Amino acid sequence: MHASILKYFAEVARSGSIRKASDELHVATSAVSRQIKKLEDELGAPLFERFSDGLRLTAAGEIVLKHAKDTLLKYELMKSDLGDLQGKCAGRVHIASLDSLAIQFLPEFVMGFHRWHPAVDFRIRYDNYTSIFHFLADGDVDIGVTFDLARPHDIKLVYGVPMPLMAMVSRNHPLARQKSVTLQECAQFKLLLQLDNEVMSSMIAVELGALNRVGRTLVATNNQMMLKPLILSGEGVAFFTPLGLLDELDAGEVVALHIAGSQLHNLQVGIVVPRQRQLTHAAEVVIESMSVELKKFSDKIHAVIQR
C-alpha cells in the first residue's frame, strides 16, 4: 500500500549504509540503491551525502525522513486498527533493550506472548541505555527496556522494577563468602569490565577513582557473554545487574554481592516509551503484558539473590 521505497529510505538513513540496509531488509543491494536513486530523481534533490565511511542525510533528506517515518507509523496504526476490527491483536512491534535481557527474559516473553497473539511479530535490537533513548526519540523503536537513569524529558517510564548493580564473583572466589563488598575490596582483584556501558563505567570511573584505587583490568569487552565464563572460572570480579545471570545465581555457581556505599544501589530497569507519540494497539498490549512478566522476573531474581 505504501511504496517499499519509504522503508528502504528509512533503513538506509538509520544504518548510514546501503549494504547494511539491504542486509536488514533482506533485499539485494542493487535494489535498495536503485530505489534511493529513483527517489532522489523524483524529488529533484540529493537525499544523502556520500562519504568514505557511509551516507549522511542532507537537509532535504531530513525532511523526507520525517515524512517517511510519519507515514510508516500511520500505516502501522491503520493495520493495528484493522486487526481490532477482526478481533485480534496484530502488527509489528519494535523494541530496543539492554543485551542482558536477551539471555532469558525477552526470549521467554516473546514465546509466551506469541502463543496468545500470533499475529504480532517483533523487531528487537540490543544496545546501551543511552542509545535506547536515542532510538525512541528518533522513532526507530516503539518500546525501550533499559535503565531508568538520566531519562530525557520526552521519554516516559511506564513500568519499572528495582535492579541494583552488583559485584558478581564465582562461588570459589575469596569474596564469595561476604554478604557485601566495597569497591576498594573489589579493586584488590582482577576486574572484568564492560565496554560501551555508561552505567558500569560511571561507577568504576567516578566511585573507584574517588578512592584513588585503580584495579587491574583483566578483560574489558562489550560482550557480556564473553565475561560470563570468566566469572565462573573465578578469574575476577564483574559488575552486573542480576538480569543476565539468573540461572547461574540460582544454581549457586555465581554469587551476587551488594556494593556497600554505591550510588547505583537503587538502580531501576523499566519499560520506557516516547511521551508524545501514539502507540499501536499491539505495542500497548505488549507493554501491558511485559510489565506483568518483568515484575515476575524481578521477584524471581530477588528471591534468588536473597537466599
Side-chain angles (χ1 to χ4, degrees), residues 162-177:
M163 197 61 59
L165 199 67
M166 306 179 77
M168 300 291 177
V169 298
S170 76
R171 62 186 172 192
N172 298 319
H173 193 278
L175 292 177
R177 295 185 296 272

Side-chain angles (χ1 to χ4, degrees), residues 90-112:
R92 175 168 296 168
V93 179
H94 295 257
I95 299 173
S97 171
L98 301 170
D99 62 355
S100 54
L101 288 160
I103 297 171
Q104 184 172 351
F105 175 73
L106 277 174
E108 292 180 355
F109 171 76
V110 168
M111 288 187 292

